[in-house]
Amino acid sequence: MSVGMVLEGGGMRGLYTAGVLDTLIDEKISIDGMVTVSAGALFGINFASGQKGRALRYNKTYINDKRYISLRSLIRTGDMVNKEFAYYTVPFSLDIFDEEAFKASGIAFYATVTNMETGEPEYITITDPFHQMEMLRASGSMPFVSKPVVNNGVRYLDGGVSDSIPYEKAKSLGYDKTIVILTRPLAYRKTKPSRFVIDRWYRHYPKFKKTLKNRYANYNQTVEKITEDEQSGEAFVIRPSQTIQIGRLERDPDKLQAIYDLGVQDAIMRLAELKQYINQS
């Protein structure tokens, strides 16, 4: 029985996902593949490496460090989340990511990125995180506060622009069971963005611009499909049981802890159902 997992993004709301995943590590829930996007990729990769608590730990430790996320970094580098500190100093030196454990896990790990020329999603198979760090960075590089990440001459940004919840990609991989972890409550739907800002900001990328404008509609359609499949038993969904007001680039450590704790709480409440879902034929 093969089990796939889908992880939504959402900036620091992704610590909700981290709370869920850390609970699944404790329960020794095993999966075969993870299709992730944005913060879902950046925080969810710690599930594959078995590093319980790492995502919460380094975010609480460095969230108010100007080397990590700051307006200063945005002005100086074009990236609100500082490339060198967040993607290289932290995982390589300060809170080391266990790449060997990741490789040994046997989990197929996909990170979603958006090709700025085509406006389409691409699903990158991550086999060597340290050498593929730029594609992980691309997956989490949010519009307006990030420079495009250039890889092999192609410009990429946040995978959430083109596929905010890569559920259909996971289904295409043929898993028998699909676990979906969302970072918004059941009733949440995106609203139409300001087209003027998008038109001005991304005027040189017409296809990306079109995708960004339509993101809200694609997101809402995907949520509807997931909800239908959840009701029919085709998918198992864990989502926040309540709303916690937290920004995508939240700087309050107490709020980071609160959203993580909610993930732990919600996962514990659903464990029996989840195990039944995984084990039923």
Side-chain angles (χ1 to χ4, degrees), residues 43-61:
F43 299 164
I45 201 167
N46 297 291
F47 177 85
S49 65
Q51 289 178 278
K52 178 186 175 183
R54 180 175 178 270
L56 178 67
R57 181 175 61 245
Y58 76 74
N59 275 290
K60 287 187 68 177
T61 299

Side-chain angles (χ1 to χ4, degrees), residues 13-280:
R13 290 196 314 276
L15 287 175
Y16 173 84
T17 300
V20 173
L21 294 178
D22 283 353
T23 303
L24 302 189
I25 289 175
D26 280 344
E27 293 294 319
K28 296 182 171 54
I29 301 294
S30 62
I31 61 172
D32 300 283
M34 303 175 73
V35 186
T36 69
V37 63
S38 197
L42 300 178
F43 299 164
I45 201 167
N46 297 291
F47 177 85
S49 65
Q51 289 178 278
K52 178 186 175 183
R54 180 175 178 270
L56 178 67
R57 181 175 61 245
Y58 76 74
N59 275 290
K60 287 187 68 177
T61 299
Y62 300 111
I63 195 61
N64 287 306
D65 189 320
K66 292 181 180 179
R67 296 173 297 171
Y68 184 40
I69 300 173
S70 66
L71 184 60
R72 182 179 70 175
S73 177
L74 180 63
I75 293 170
R76 291 183 175 181
T77 70
D79 289 304
M80 182 75 83
V81 180
N82 186 271
K83 168 185 172 179
E84 293 304 324
F85 188 79
Y87 291 95
Y88 290 92
T89 302
V90 171
F92 282 76
S93 302
L94 298 180
D95 198 323
I96 299 172
F97 176 74
D98 192 342
E99 186 173 60
E100 292 308 311
F102 172 87
K103 292 177 179 179
S105 72
I107 295 173
F109 192 94
Y110 300 85
T112 308
V113 297
T114 300
N115 183 315
M116 294 189 70
E117 297 295 336
T118 67
E120 296 294 323
E122 295 181 13
Y123 306 94
I124 310 301
T125 304
I126 303 295
T127 57
D128 195 338
F130 283 163
H131 284 88
Q132 293 176 285
M133 189 62 73
E134 287 302 282
M135 296 313 290
L136 286 167
R137 187 168 76 88
S139 186
S141 291
M142 294 178 287
F144 307 115
V145 294
S146 307
K147 291 190 304 184
V149 176
V150 181
N151 188 64
N152 293 325
V154 180
R155 287 174 170 79
Y156 295 97
L157 273 180
D158 191 347
V161 171
S162 54
D163 196 354
S164 295
I165 310 171
Y167 178 62
E168 291 300 329
K169 173 61 179 179
K171 289 183 68 176
S172 76
L173 295 172
Y175 297 114
D176 298 308
K177 303 288 181 177
T178 306
I179 303 166
V180 182
I181 303 177
L182 303 179
T183 58
R184 293 286 198 179
L186 178 61
Y188 177 81
R189 297 294 184 274
K190 287 191 182 296
T191 57
K192 187 180 293 188
S194 169
R195 296 186 170 228
F196 174 78
V197 174
I198 294 172
D199 282 334
R200 290 294 299 274
W201 204 278
Y202 292 110
R203 59 189 178 277
H204 299 303
Y205 301 95
K207 292 182 179 179
F208 179 84
K209 185 172 64 174
K210 181 179 179 182
T211 300
L212 186 54
K213 288 178 183 178
N214 292 330
R215 180 187 186 186
Y216 80 101
N218 294 331
Y219 177 91
N220 294 343
Q221 290 171 5
T222 302
V223 170
E224 295 293 342
K225 175 59 177 172
I226 290 171
T227 302
E228 289 176 9
D229 285 358
E230 177 186 21
Q231 292 171 349
S232 68
E234 291 186 41
F236 188 91
V237 184
I238 300 176
R239 57 171 67 82
S241 58
Q242 63 187 39
T243 299
I244 291 180
Q245 298 300 328
I246 181 170
R248 292 176 69 86
L249 293 173
E250 182 63 57
R251 308 293 294 278
D252 184 343
D254 290 339
K255 288 188 177 181
L256 301 186
Q257 184 71 55
I259 195 72
Y260 174 89
D261 289 344
L262 181 63
V264 172
Q265 171 189 309
D266 288 350
I268 290 172
M269 292 294 292
R270 302 290 306 284
L271 275 174
E273 293 175 75
L274 175 60
K275 291 176 180 180
Q276 181 180 12
Y277 168 76
I278 291 173
N279 292 325
Q280 69 187 10

